Amino acid sequence: MLRGAVKRRHGCFELCFSRPNGGGQPIAGPRLGIIIPKRLARTAVLRNLLKRLVRDEFRLSQLRLPAGDMVIRLVGAPDVHPTPPDATRRRAWRLSVKTLLAGLAP
């Protein structure tokens, strides 16, 4: 699915904008897939936090995004010391996702 996709990276996240969706049907709008591998985010709490941040930023920028299937993937281990992640790290992760999505807006 991700072969031939447009890839952009910011921080520990990578955005793969693979293809317009619709498949001959009227285009429904942007759709999101999230990949957070267990080998990079060891605990379920951290994986859920990252997914929640990604979904929230996608929801906030959804109206500005082109219709298509996009996948946001964690490609680098996030810095999580001290545990749990503090507000500064959460803002940095959120900014990374926001920057990736802003690059797609027309």
Side-chain angles (χ1 to χ4, degrees):
M1 178 184 136
L2 299 178
R3 287 189 201 119
V6 176
K7 294 184 180 181
R8 295 188 173 110
R9 186 172 177 170
H10 192 275
C12 58
F13 291 99
E14 178 181 68
L15 181 126
C16 301
F17 185 77
S18 59
R19 64 178 186 262
N21 61 20
Q25 304 293 327
I27 297 178
R31 295 188 300 183
L32 176 68
I34 304 171
I35 301 172
I36 308 288
K38 192 182 279 190
R39 67 181 171 85
L40 295 177
R42 292 280 182 186
T43 65
V45 172
L46 179 60
R47 288 192 303 275
N48 290 334
L49 170 68
L50 293 170
K51 288 178 194 178
R52 192 168 49 248
L53 291 174
V54 170
R55 279 193 302 265
D56 191 43
E57 279 305 315
F58 178 77
R59 180 185 58 81
L60 292 174
S61 60
Q62 193 170 8
L63 295 176
R64 295 185 305 270
L65 295 174
D69 297 335
M70 50 197 88
V71 176
I72 294 184
R73 177 170 73 156
L74 184 69
V75 291
D79 182 22
V80 291
H81 301 288
T83 304
D86 59 2
T88 305
R89 284 186 180 76
R90 290 177 188 207
R91 276 194 300 271
W93 295 333
R94 188 179 291 270
L95 181 63
S96 291
V97 174
K98 188 176 194 174
T99 304
L100 285 173
L101 293 174
L104 292 177

